[in-house]
Structure formats: C-alpha cells, structure tokens
Amino acid sequence: MIQTKKHIRTLFAPLMLIMCVVLFSSFTTKPNPPASEPVKLGFIPLTDCSPIVMAKELGLFKKYGVEVVVTKETSWANVRDKILTGELDGAHCLYTMPFSVYTGVGGKAGSEMKIAMMLNVNGQAITLSNDFCGKVSFKQMNKVTPVVAAKLKAEKEVTFAMTFPGGTHDLWLRNWMSLAGLNQKAVKIITIPPPQMVANMKVGNMDGYCVGEPWGGVAVKQGIGFTQIASQDIWKDHPEKALVVNKDFSASRREDLKKVMKAIMEACIWLDNPANRKKAAAIIGKAPYVNAPADVIEARLMGDYNLGCNQGTEVYDKDYMLFYKGGTVNYPRKSYGIWAMAQFVRFGYLKEEPNYQAIADKLILQDLYEEVAKSMKIKIPADDMKPFSLTMDKTVFNPANPSAYLKVVKR
C-alpha cells in the first residue's frame, strides 16, 4: 500500500509542476494585442479615386501590413459626415473640403477633418450643354458672358452645377466665371453629386457643370454636352483631391495611417507610369468603382480629350491628371489651403477673413507626410508658402498676405 501511494506521488509530481507553471504564466505573460480594426476608406466615383482603388487592387495595403476596406460613397456631404463621425477613417476627398467645413461654408464651423496627403492634380472640366454649341468654343472665354446674357433674356434663368459648397469644383467654376467676366449672382448655382451630373444635364436641370473626370468625357460620349475648358487650363497642376482623415484616427492610429499613406503613395507612383493607365482605366471603370466606360476614362487619363461639339481633340502631354510627378503632387501645401480660404472671402462665402495660418496649421498633417516621404526617400518640395499665380489669372497670391491679394483680384 505504501508503495502504491509512493507510485502515485511519482506519477503526479511532474503533472503538478506543469500545472503550476501554466498557472504562473497566466499571471505573468502579457496577452497578445488584439488585431487592429480594418481601416475604412471611402471614395466618390471619379477617376481621381484611382490611388485608393489601385492601392487596394494591387495589394499594396496588404504589402504594408494594414487591412483596408474601401467603400463607394454617394456624395461629398456623405463623405464629410462619415469622416466627422468616424464611420469612415478617411476618404478620397476634395482638398478644399476641410477648410470649407472648418470655416462654416460647407459644414458646422470648427469641425476638424485632417489632410494627410494629396492624391492628384489637374483633370477636372467645365462642361456646357449643347445649347451653347456653336456659340462658344473651347477656351473662348470672351464669348461666355454674351451667350449667357442672351440665354438669360430668352429663358430667365441659367443654372450651373458644382459638387460641394467651397469644394474644388465650386472654386474652379467661380474662377471660370470671373475669367469670363460673368457675374456669379446673375446665374443659379446648385450642388449635384459627381456621378449624377450627366443624368441631370440630360434632363435639362442645368446648363453647365464643373466636375472631375470621367463625367466631362461621358457627357461628350453621350452627345449631351461639350468641354469648354479643363481645370488645368485655368491653373496648371492645381491641387485637387486629398486623403482626408478623421481627427481621432489620425492621432490614435498614427502608425496604421502611415502604412495607408505608403500604400497610396506607391499606387500614385504606379499610376504615373503611362503604361499602367490602360489597366487602371479598366479596373476603376467597373461597377463597384466609377461605373463608367473604360475607354472614356483611359482617353482622358492619357490626356486625349475629345472636346465634343465638333471641336476636335485637345491633347495634354504634360498637364493631364497626375498622381505623383516626383513627389511634387503629394505634398500637402499650407499655401494652397490659405488660397482656398481666400476664395471663400473673394466669392462671398465668408464676410471676414479667417485666421488663415492657424487653420492651415491645424488641419494639414504636414509633419506626418514628411515622415512618410522621408521613409520612402521621396523628395519634399521647397515651394510651400511662396507666392504663386494661376495660369489664366495672373494675380499674384502671397500666402503670407492674402489681404493684399483680395484687394486687387477680380471678383
């Protein structure tokens, strides 16, 4: 009997030791950190959503170790609301939207949306209905006002559309009117989501609109309108879309945001290789993304613009839609944010000038971008905060003194 008990102790001693080790480990070993939640990025169906879409399609988010869910959104107002509430962590967005929202032009004043990086330059257009065909031609600015005046006299109302108050399309439209000598108060300006522009023009809801591609090219293909001017004719290499993110996300998940930015940057580099643009057009043209003819997307991505209205073709060889251009595209310049806010004053959205520099400093994550760019050995431009002027409007804009610009620029 004694031998049996001794035998049992011999058998159970190692087992008890193992149990003690396991129990001790449960108190001393740190639990594995939970996997990060997927990053939620939105986009509007426009050609310049390509950096986000292609980063997903090319597997670049996975390459940099971050899971990203990409969702199609219905309007810029929807994108704004979802970024502010955190339903989206970020989105392909009008670069001027954070400034519009913060100043109360396009949202609740003081609401913060952060700009992490730029996505593209160029590639928007003013499209006019066929009512203008034969009366005003491509870049023929001096004919716009007389034709609009005649149409106002005959029909009492002329309507133009843009996509968001204080957004880039709104500013290009109003700059176009200024260049043409057209009083913006003489016409009606409405807000229409980008993918609904063509359908609204088809049923006569507007006489012209400003939006990004491919919706200028689609109007030409469908024979309902023509390109009067491209945005790069107004301002060559103008800033356009940005990666805009939720404030809390940018602070609490900084490392994930950096991974997202690296993947998107690599997609921008890939997109700027002309040999890749045909593939990109075929992918983003599909229904889950832009849902538009791939041939229209490809043509304007390549700078080959069928203008419509028997105007022939305009070829842009150096100033079509660009996504990288040696890193000069992607740097989020504070001077461009200040310029946008000066336009809000210029065109009557704001009665008083805002604190330009403080707002630009608050909303633009320039330090974060510089950290990402340096890690990828991408050169950081040295032109921020230097005076500049637009291609057509030669009024010099000094970001250090917007007030001086507002005293002389044409309204």
Side-chain angles (χ1 to χ4, degrees):
M1 190 70 169
I2 295 172
Q3 287 180 340
T4 303
K5 288 181 179 179
K6 188 183 291 184
H7 181 65
I8 291 171
R9 285 199 301 270
T10 303
L11 287 172
F12 276 90
L15 180 60
M16 292 296 292
L17 179 62
I18 292 170
M19 290 175 66
C20 287
V21 170
V22 170
L23 185 62
F24 179 75
S25 298
S26 69
F27 288 107
T28 59
T29 304
K30 292 181 180 179
N32 291 325
S36 294
E37 289 290 318
V39 176
K40 303 178 291 294
L41 298 182
F43 71 91
I44 291 290
L46 290 162
T47 300
D48 48 31
C49 74
S50 294
I52 288 176
V53 170
M54 293 312 302
K56 181 74 172 178
E57 289 283 339
L58 295 170
L60 297 176
F61 292 126
K62 286 185 178 180
K63 173 182 174 179
Y64 286 97
V66 62
E67 184 181 351
V68 174
V69 175
V70 174
T71 62
K72 183 192 286 191
E73 304 300 329
T74 56
S75 68
W76 292 122
N78 191 48
V79 167
R80 172 201 62 200
D81 294 344
K82 287 187 175 182
I83 290 177
L84 289 175
T85 61
E87 188 173 344
L88 287 174
D89 296 310
H92 150 255
C93 196
L94 304 161
Y95 101 87
T96 57
M97 186 191 288
F99 308 106
S100 173
V101 172
Y102 188 85
T103 58
V105 173
K108 183 181 177 182
S111 301
E112 294 182 35
M113 304 164 69
K114 303 285 190 175
I115 298 176
M117 64 183 290
M118 297 299 298
L119 300 179
N120 77 295
V121 298
N122 305 326
Q124 322 301 298
I126 303 287
T127 299
L128 297 181
S129 72
N130 285 335
D131 287 351
F132 291 86
C133 184
K135 300 171 184 175
V136 56
S137 302
F138 179 64
K139 291 200 291 189
Q140 196 174 38
M141 303 302 289
N142 64 332
K143 291 289 184 71
V144 173
T145 295
V147 173
V148 169
K151 193 171 178 64
L152 278 169
K153 186 175 181 180
E155 302 175 16
K156 307 303 180 188
E157 187 173 84
V158 171
T159 302
F160 293 110
M162 47 76 179
T163 63
F164 187 83
T168 53
H169 303 129
D170 187 16
L171 299 188
W172 310 146
L173 178 67
R174 293 177 192 274
N175 270 269
W176 172 75
M177 290 181 181
S178 175
L179 290 164
L182 179 61
N183 183 350
Q184 61 177 318
K185 294 180 180 178
V187 301
K188 185 177 180 181
I189 299 176
I190 60 174
T191 302
I192 300 289
Q196 296 177 25
M197 287 292 191
V198 173
N200 273 272
M201 181 174 277
K202 190 177 290 185
V203 297
N205 286 344
M206 82 274 276
D207 300 283
Y209 60 76
C210 182
V211 74
E213 295 302 340
W215 306 116
V218 170
V220 171
K221 185 180 179 72
Q222 294 188 8
I224 63 168
F226 65 96
T227 300
Q228 200 279 326
I229 197 168
S231 56
Q232 55 264 39
D233 295 313
I234 297 171
W235 181 5
K236 181 181 177 181
D237 291 348
H238 66 79
E240 183 53 40
K241 301 301 190 301
L243 174 64
V244 173
V245 296
N246 171 270
K247 178 185 177 182
D248 292 339
F249 171 76
S250 69
S252 64
R253 297 183 64 183
R254 183 181 176 91
E255 292 305 311
D256 283 340
L257 177 53
K258 284 161 62 176
K259 292 173 184 177
V260 166
M261 291 169 67
K262 289 176 183 179
I264 291 174
M265 183 74 79
E266 190 167 325
C268 287
I269 295 170
W270 184 89
L271 283 161
D272 257 16
N273 182 344
N276 293 329
R277 294 202 169 192
K278 185 179 184 69
K279 180 179 179 181
I283 291 171
I284 69 170
K286 293 178 181 177
Y289 298 126
V290 178
N291 194 23
D295 61 332
V296 175
I297 296 173
E298 181 187 350
R300 295 213 167 184
L301 263 178
M302 298 301 292
D304 188 3
Y305 282 48
N306 175 5
L307 300 173
C309 187
N310 300 312
Q311 295 183 113
T313 299
E314 179 76 7
V315 177
Y316 295 91
D317 60 353
K318 294 181 180 178
D319 51 358
Y320 49 3
M321 188 178 290
L322 296 169
F323 300 92
Y324 178 63
K325 200 176 181 181
T328 60
V329 168
N330 310 103
Y331 188 53
R333 293 166 176 81
K334 294 179 180 179
S335 56
Y336 291 168
I338 293 170
W339 178 87
M341 289 183 279
Q343 304 308 300
F344 302 161
V345 179
R346 176 188 180 189
F347 295 123
Y349 277 129
L350 296 178
K351 293 181 179 179
E352 297 180 358
E353 293 185 72
N355 189 334
Y356 299 103
Q357 189 67 55
I359 296 172
D361 290 343
K362 183 185 291 287
L363 301 184
I364 299 177
L365 302 175
Q366 208 169 72
D367 289 347
L368 177 68
Y369 175 84
E370 290 175 1
E371 188 178 335
V372 169
K374 287 175 183 176
S375 73
M376 298 181 76
K377 295 181 170 55
I378 293 171
K379 186 177 179 181
I380 296 169
D383 60 351
D384 196 14
M385 297 305 293
K386 292 183 178 179
F388 62 87
S389 59
L390 278 58
T391 306
M392 283 193 169
D393 181 356
K394 301 299 183 182
T395 308
V396 175
F397 180 78
N398 183 352
N401 190 4
S403 299
Y405 162 85
L406 288 170
K407 288 177 182 177
V408 295
V409 72
K410 190 177 177 183
R411 303 275 170 149

